[in-house]
Amino acid sequence: YEEQPKWPYDIITFNRGFLGKRTDELCEAVKAIQAIASRMGHEDLDADSAASPLLQVLRGASPERFALVGHSFGACSIVHALNEVPPELAQCYGAVLLDMWPGPLTTDP
């Protein structure tokens, strides 16, 4: 548990920790997907695998090139993560930001 700021608080302070956690989660998800994609074609990854739906998607994709997609706070999190690109996201070639909520990124009114 992390202590939350007391009211009144500013949106930047309140969301800073959440943005950091989302960046970590995003990097972990990308690493996991790339690990599965790098094993495509190995006999131990067959149609009965728990990752089967993901494997179906990855068969037509390049794990070295990917785009990030986020909605609302997720889109805000992508912008935050790409501000200083972590190594896990270095191969990202684009981002789709849907209905982005930019509030947590700036102190502008």
Side-chain angles (χ1 to χ4, degrees), residues 36 40 45-59:
I36 293 169
M40 295 293 291
L45 276 181
D46 58 20
D48 295 329
S49 170
S52 183
L54 180 58
L55 290 176
Q56 292 175 13
V57 171
L58 292 176
R59 282 191 180 98

Side-chain angles (χ1 to χ4, degrees), residues 95-106:
V96 178
L97 309 174
L98 303 168
D99 195 21
M100 187 177 94
W101 178 45
L105 297 174
T106 179

Side-chain angles (χ1 to χ4, degrees), residues 34 64-68 78 82 85 88-95:
Q34 288 178 323
E64 293 84 31
R65 294 187 54 202
F66 59 90
L68 303 171
I78 289 172
L82 294 178
V85 182
E88 296 87 351
L89 305 181
Q91 293 176 318
C92 174
Y93 73 91

Side-chain angles (χ1 to χ4, degrees), residues 26 68-71 73-83 95-97:
L26 182 60
L68 303 171
V69 179
H71 172 261
F73 192 77
C76 175
S77 299
I78 289 172
V79 171
H80 176 76
L82 294 178
N83 188 43
V96 178
L97 309 174

